[in-house]
């Protein structure tokens, strides 16, 4: 009988647990950036958004933004990679899918995985890093995260 009462009290306590509170401005953190091969990489980020209006792109402009930097051995510094094949010369814009409709107007968190192929414009680029941010459907821009220096094969 004691065990049954303990289980019922535990169940009641756990069912009253509060939902997490997140800012309505999305927040992201880097989980990993892994080079898979000379031509492909996998970028994983964690995200949270207080009002769940994240993902999809109602205006068609994109919601996942990547700025590429490459290392110049001559000057020993990073430069923004500029090339007309990338959107706006230096930013790669992508769209990630919306979570389910049941998450709208609710705090949400999760992971976004992006398969990148290619992840660099030229195989001559051996050292690079990425800056990443996202926008929610209200236009709120997340914090900016940066991958560590990455050495490509």
């Amino acid at each position: 009988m004691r065990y049954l009462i303990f289980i019922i009290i535990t169940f009641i306590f756990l069912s009253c647990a509060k939902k997490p509170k997140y800012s309505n401005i999305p927040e992201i953190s880097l989980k990993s950036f892994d080079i898979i091969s000379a031509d492909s990489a996998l970028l994983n980020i964690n995200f949270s958004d207080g009002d769940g209006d994240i993902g999809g792109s109602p205006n068609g402009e994109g919601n996942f933004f990547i700025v590429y930097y490459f290392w110049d051995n001559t000057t020993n510094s990073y430069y923004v990679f500029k090339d007309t094949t990338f959107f706006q010369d230096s930013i790669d814009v992508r769209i990630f899918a919306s979570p389910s409709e049941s998450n709208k107007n609710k705090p949400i968190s999760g992971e976004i995985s992006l398969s990148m192929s290619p992840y660099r414009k030229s195989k001559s680029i051996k050292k690079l890093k990425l800056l990443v941010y996202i926008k929610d459907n209200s236009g709120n821009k997340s914090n900016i995260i940066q991958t560590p220096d990455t050495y490509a094969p």
Side-chain angles (χ1 to χ4, degrees):
M1 185 66 173
R2 283 185 181 171
Y3 294 113
L4 181 59
I5 293 172
F6 176 76
I7 290 172
I8 291 172
I9 291 173
T10 303
F11 178 75
I12 291 170
F13 179 73
L14 292 176
S15 65
C16 294
K18 293 184 178 186
K19 293 181 181 178
K21 289 190 176 191
Y22 302 122
S23 169
N24 288 348
I25 298 172
E27 294 182 27
I28 60 174
S29 63
L30 179 67
K31 183 172 181 184
S32 63
F33 180 60
D34 299 311
I35 304 295
I36 307 299
S37 70
D39 294 327
S40 64
L42 186 62
L43 174 65
N44 293 301
I45 66 168
N46 296 312
F47 74 90
S48 64
D49 187 48
D51 55 7
D53 69 337
I54 197 165
S57 186
N59 57 12
E61 295 177 1
N63 53 19
F64 195 101
F65 302 84
I66 306 168
V67 181
Y68 296 84
Y69 286 84
F70 72 95
W71 182 259
D72 184 329
N73 288 324
T74 307
T75 61
N76 288 325
S77 59
Y78 276 105
Y79 289 93
V80 173
F81 186 79
K82 294 191 182 239
D83 184 3
T84 57
T85 59
F86 286 121
F87 186 81
Q88 297 178 354
D89 288 341
S90 62
I91 298 177
D92 184 4
V93 179
R94 304 193 184 207
I95 297 174
F96 62 91
S98 295
S100 69
E101 283 292 315
S102 64
N103 290 319
K104 283 195 172 189
N105 300 316
K106 295 179 184 175
I108 188 170
S109 65
E111 181 180 323
I112 300 168
S113 294
L114 178 63
S115 179
M116 303 174 69
S117 182
Y119 63 93
R120 58 185 170 162
K121 179 62 179 160
S122 166
K123 290 185 180 181
S124 66
I125 296 173
K126 297 297 183 184
K127 184 177 176 184
L128 62 130
K129 64 182 176 182
L130 309 176
L131 274 78
V132 178
Y133 64 93
I134 63 175
K135 285 186 179 179
D136 66 15
N137 296 331
S138 299
N140 296 315
K141 181 180 171 182
S142 74
N143 57 307
I144 298 172
I145 58 172
Q146 176 180 301
T147 64
D149 293 346
T150 302
Y151 297 89

